[in-house]
Structure formats: C-alpha cells, structure tokens
Amino acid sequence: MSTPRRLVEDGVRRWGRLPERPVVADPLAAYTGLTRRLKRLRLKEWVGFTLLHPDWYSSLIVQDAHYLAGSEIYAYDRAGGVLHQHAANASGGSPTLPAELLDGVCRFERDGYRIAYAFHAPSARHRIEVDIAATPKAPAIRGELELDAGAATAPLSVSSRLPGGSMYTYKAAFPARGVLRVGDAEIVFDPARDLAVLDEHRSLLPYRTRWLWGTFATPTDAGPVGANFAARPELPGEPEESALWTPGRCEPLGDVSFRPDSTDPSAAWHITSRDGRLDVVFQPEGRKSVKHDLGLFAIDYYQLFGHYRGVLRGTEGDFEIKDVHGVCESMRARL
C-alpha cells in the first residue's frame, strides 16, 4: 500500500496500516460545515515522547482536547527513587500541533514552561527542547535532545475506525543524543544506548474511552527492537496499533492481553499477543497518575514506568528482552 500525501484526500479518508506517516494528517478534513465544528470538539490530539535511559525514566507530552489543552513532563531518578513532575494547562486550540508534523514545530508555551519538538524530515534530524523553571514542588528541567530519524525503527502508522469514533496514530523509536538537566543532575543521552519513542495521536475518541497501552524499545547492532501494544474496544476487521519493531520492520500484532499479577500497584504485568509473538513481563518501578471527576467529564489515568523482560518473535528471528525500560498505562475517561 502506498502512503497518501494526505490522510484525507478529496473528503475521503484512508484507512488501514500505512507504510509511512501521511505528509498531512488532519482527520477533520473529512468533514465540512457544522459537522466539522462538532467533530472538532471530539478530536483529541497529542504528541509525546517516552525517553529511554538506564538511570532515569521520563516522558513528556503536548496535548489538545480542543476545549482544554495541556502539557506534562516527569523525570524519575532511579537511584534516588524520586519523581519530579511539571504540568501546565491552556485554552483549547492554543498549542501548536501541525498536521504536517514531520516538517514543522510542535510547541506548548506558558510563563516558565516551554516544550517544543522541531521535526525536519529532509535532514532526518528532529529535536526535543525543554525549558521549564523550578517550582516549589519540582526542580527546573532544561535541555535539548537530537533524534536520528535515519536510524529509527520502521514507522507504525495506523488509521482505524473505532466504536463511536476513529483513530490515527504514528509511532517510532529514535536514537537520542543530548543532555537534560533536572535540577543539578545532568542526564547525558548516548544514541548508541538511549532512545526516544514518539507517540502521535489525532483521534476522534468516543465519549466513554478506555485503553491499556504499553511500549518499550532497545538498541541492537542491527537497529532498534521493541514493541507498541494496546487493548481497547475495537471493530472487527479494523487494524490495531499493536506491532513489533524488529530491524527494518514494523510487524503487525493483534489480540493483545494485559494481565497484572494482582491488584497491588507494584505487581508485575504479563503482556502477550494471542499468537505468542509478544510475550513479556513488565515490572513497575513507579507510577504517575491523574484522577478527576467533574460529573460530565472524568478521567482515571495512570502510567507505570519500569522494565520489561521476555521475548519478541519476529519474522526473521527471536529477540530476548531483558531489563528494557518502558511504560505501561491505563486510561478510563469520559471526555
């Protein structure tokens, strides 16, 4: 299947697994007039990264629900067992989240808080820039990372119908170089060892939304290896966003199950695909959570950060996963 220049061409949306990200990914282009304005209120867009480093767990995100926007970042010091977090909110529509992402700048800025991603497809180099001032609750987080798109995983690009909505997502893992500073601590990223996993969504989610999701990746001599996997309500025959990343390939997965060993928040999770090509255990080391109930709108979300072990069974061989950093999360919301 060839990749279209646009996700929506002449009002018709392309569905399925795509070999690349469309140059322009705008789900609202399928609608006009009042329908388009109403669909905008259902559109949830975000661009985030999970940063994979042996000594720190960290994630950051810029998101827009079109009635409210926000950004978050956390950094967890494994040696000290300390979680540092910053967050900021803004009016819907205020972040810069260009539909032509891979040759544009994604940005969230408030006083004392700036996160920006600069994507440059021609050079195969992207940047993450963070400049967040200290608060009484958390130290400053500042720095810049350069991502090597030329040595990234094959892209995961999926356009799918959902019960009561639709989804577009683009994901890839990039070798990362640079420095982040968390207070007085300096975190040096080495592209031979460290990765940044991109998670872009432009989805018309149903009012009642739920999912389980996880991801991890690790460098090998042949290129990054890892997985992205999710379980959510699906329509029969529609492609899922689950996949294995093996050198030079993005291999589809389906029927993924998440089984925590117990209700203990620190319990391990066994995560498998029905065909056995994904068979890993996730051991949490920490937890970041958000919980609000405002009646009509509510969110019950947590992300666990920790490490994976197990096996990936690709078409060209098996890959042992041992103490590989990653995340696993749960979302239940009325949006």
Side-chain angles (χ1 to χ4, degrees), residues 15 160-167 232-240 255:
W15 303 101
S160 180
R161 301 173 183 89
L162 299 175
S166 65
M167 175 193 73
R232 59 159 56 86
E234 303 278 356
L235 292 174
E238 288 295 305
E240 302 179 31
D255 298 317

Side-chain angles (χ1 to χ4, degrees), residues 41-297:
L41 296 176
R42 304 293 330 132
L43 182 63
K44 307 297 180 286
E45 299 181 285
W46 65 83
V47 180
F49 285 94
T50 299
L51 305 181
L52 307 181
H53 185 280
D55 301 323
W56 288 78
Y57 294 131
S58 184
S59 289
L60 60 161
I61 192 169
V62 175
Q63 52 197 342
D64 191 357
H66 291 276
Y67 52 82
L68 180 67
S71 177
E72 300 177 13
I73 184 171
Y74 72 78
Y76 176 76
D77 178 0
R78 296 185 70 189
V82 179
L83 177 64
H84 308 291
Q85 301 182 77
H86 290 276
N89 294 320
S91 58
S94 57
T96 303
L97 288 167
E100 197 168 341
L101 183 72
L102 295 184
D103 203 11
V105 176
C106 174
R107 183 186 299 112
F108 185 100
E109 291 184 284
R110 297 288 302 273
D111 290 344
Y113 189 108
R114 179 178 184 272
I115 287 178
Y117 318 132
F119 296 91
H120 192 243
S123 69
R125 290 290 188 274
H126 308 320
R127 294 196 316 277
I128 299 173
E129 301 170 1
V130 179
D131 187 359
I132 299 175
T135 71
K137 294 183 178 180
I141 302 180
R142 294 188 169 94
E144 182 175 320
L145 302 179
E146 181 182 86
L147 311 183
D148 183 359
T153 60
L156 171 62
S157 179
V158 179
S159 173
S160 180
R161 301 173 183 89
L162 299 175
S166 65
M167 175 193 73
Y168 175 73
T169 190
Y170 167 68
K171 296 177 168 68
F174 304 86
R177 176 195 306 274
V179 177
L180 284 183
R181 293 176 178 83
V182 181
D184 295 330
E186 185 174 86
I187 310 167
V188 178
F189 283 76
D190 178 351
R193 179 195 64 194
D194 303 324
L195 299 167
V197 181
L198 170 66
D199 178 10
E200 177 194 14
H201 258 265
R202 298 177 189 268
S203 300
L204 294 158
L205 298 177
Y207 169 64
R208 293 185 181 275
T209 291
R210 69 181 188 273
W211 69 70
L212 295 169
W213 170 80
T215 194
F216 63 86
T218 186
T220 73
D221 290 342
V225 167
N228 181 88
F229 34 89
R232 59 159 56 86
E234 303 278 356
L235 292 174
E238 288 295 305
E240 302 179 31
E241 66 168 273
S242 300
L244 299 182
W245 284 309
T246 59
R249 295 173 177 265
C250 181
E251 304 183 25
L253 285 176
D255 298 317
V256 173
S257 65
F258 294 71
R259 299 190 300 277
D261 285 349
S262 73
T263 58
D264 185 331
S266 63
W269 293 55
H270 192 194
I271 304 167
T272 58
S273 60
R274 180 176 294 181
D275 62 12
R277 292 189 302 126
L278 172 70
D279 188 353
V280 294
V281 173
F282 173 71
Q283 181 60 60
E285 288 190 36
R287 177 185 180 112
K288 172 190 175 296
S289 60
V290 178
K291 191 168 184 176
H292 301 292
D293 190 342
L294 305 175
L296 187 61
F297 301 104

